[in-house]
Amino acid sequence: MAVLDAGQAAVTGRMRFKLPPALRIALLQIALLALLLAAWELAIRFGFIAVYLYGQPSGIIAKAGKLIGSGELVRDAALTAWEAIAGFLIGTVLGSAAGLSLWLFPTGAAVLRPYLVALNGLPKIALAPLIIVWFGIGLSSKIAIAAIITFIVAVITALQGAKEVDADLVKLLRSLGASRWKTWRTVIVPGAMPWIVAAFRLNVGFALIGAVVGEYIASKEGLGYMIYYAGVLYDLNAVWVGIATLMAVALLMYGAIDLIERRLLS
């Protein structure tokens, strides 16, 4: 009996100290990253891959510390984040509103559809030179590129979400005498909200692409410029620092989208 009690106590103790699922996943993610970096570092040190082609984790950390200490990385990250966030908000909000509004005008939506599809399929980098000419090489051109890219995606996604709302529910409201405007306001907009939130997630990446492309073409600051200039100098450690910082900005933006999603869909 004492042996059984001891066994039950041991099992209870293991269960008591079991890590929460979220913490366990976070630790596994950190462990995976550490494992990849360690393997990369060892491959460089033992000569399996060339440092001048791939960079080196220890060199990347040292370069990041240097750029943070000089304030250059913080300045460039803040600028690119501001360009991406401003472009994201302008393009996504206006695009979502336009896409939802097109449900009220089915003829207009049918007329505009091929143009929207063509613009969506167009490589957006082709528009960058025009936007630089129209808006100059300052901050506004980077925001404009990000806004245009996200606007097209938001319009198409919101319009499709409006079309996917339960048709039977729409017919029921119309049969009860609800106007097209009231149907749109009470059924279409709430029903399309999951699609709009999905467009938010897509547009995080597109907004960053727009900001970075603009910095590639015409800029002397920002993460895009830093990555481009470091690549020209074959400073791959600095390139990786820029890429990692862009990923961190994207994760922060995704975290903000999660908060918005909880508010909109709760």
Side-chain angles (χ1 to χ4, degrees):
M1 182 66 98
V3 173
L4 289 175
D5 290 342
Q8 289 176 352
V11 171
T12 303
R14 285 197 296 269
M15 292 176 64
R16 184 179 303 165
F17 291 104
K18 187 176 181 181
L19 291 173
L23 178 58
R24 182 163 55 88
I25 293 298
L27 291 175
L28 288 173
Q29 290 169 339
I30 294 170
L32 176 60
L33 178 61
L35 180 63
L36 291 174
L37 291 176
W40 184 0
E41 182 73 24
L42 290 173
I44 292 291
R45 290 182 181 270
F46 285 102
F48 294 118
I49 58 177
V51 65
Y52 66 87
L53 289 177
Y54 297 97
Q56 187 173 5
S58 57
I60 294 168
I61 294 171
K63 175 64 73 172
K66 182 179 178 181
L67 291 172
I68 292 172
S70 67
E72 183 180 349
L73 184 61
V74 175
R75 181 202 68 198
D76 289 340
L79 179 64
T80 301
W82 167 243
E83 293 165 352
I85 292 170
F88 170 87
L89 291 175
I90 294 169
T92 303
V93 172
L94 294 180
S96 298
L100 289 172
S101 298
L102 284 174
W103 183 87
L104 293 167
F105 309 99
T107 302
V111 170
L112 292 176
R113 183 173 180 77
Y115 297 100
L116 293 173
V117 172
L119 284 172
N120 188 51
L122 176 71
K124 306 307 183 294
I125 193 172
L127 298 174
L130 291 174
I131 294 172
I132 296 296
V133 171
W134 294 337
F135 292 91
I137 63 172
L139 184 69
S140 58
S141 61
K142 314 326 183 275
I143 295 175
I145 295 172
I148 289 173
I149 295 175
T150 54
F151 177 83
I152 299 300
V153 174
V155 169
I156 292 176
T157 305
L159 178 58
Q160 187 62 38
K163 290 181 177 180
E164 293 294 329
V165 173
D166 190 353
D168 291 334
L169 182 57
V170 173
K171 290 178 181 177
L172 175 62
L173 280 178
R174 298 304 300 274
S175 67
L176 293 174
S179 66
R180 191 168 182 81
W181 163 254
K182 187 173 183 180
T183 302
W184 179 83
R185 183 167 51 85
T186 58
V187 175
I188 299 301
V189 173
M193 204 55 64
W195 288 74
I196 292 173
V197 172
F200 286 1
R201 296 186 181 280
L202 285 173
N203 277 340
V204 167
F206 286 129
L208 284 169
I209 288 171
V212 170
V213 165
E215 291 170 352
Y216 271 19
I217 294 175
S219 182
K220 290 189 177 180
E221 52 187 349
L223 292 175
Y225 172 75
M226 188 186 86
I227 292 170
Y228 173 77
Y229 187 69
V232 170
L233 298 178
Y234 287 91
D235 186 357
L236 296 190
N237 289 332
V239 171
W240 281 114
V241 171
I243 291 171
T245 307
L246 278 174
M247 293 170 68
V249 171
L251 286 174
L252 290 174
M253 292 179 69
Y254 275 117
I257 296 301
D258 285 338
L259 295 176
I260 293 172
E261 182 178 12
R262 293 192 192 103
R263 294 292 298 273
L264 291 178
L265 301 182
S266 61

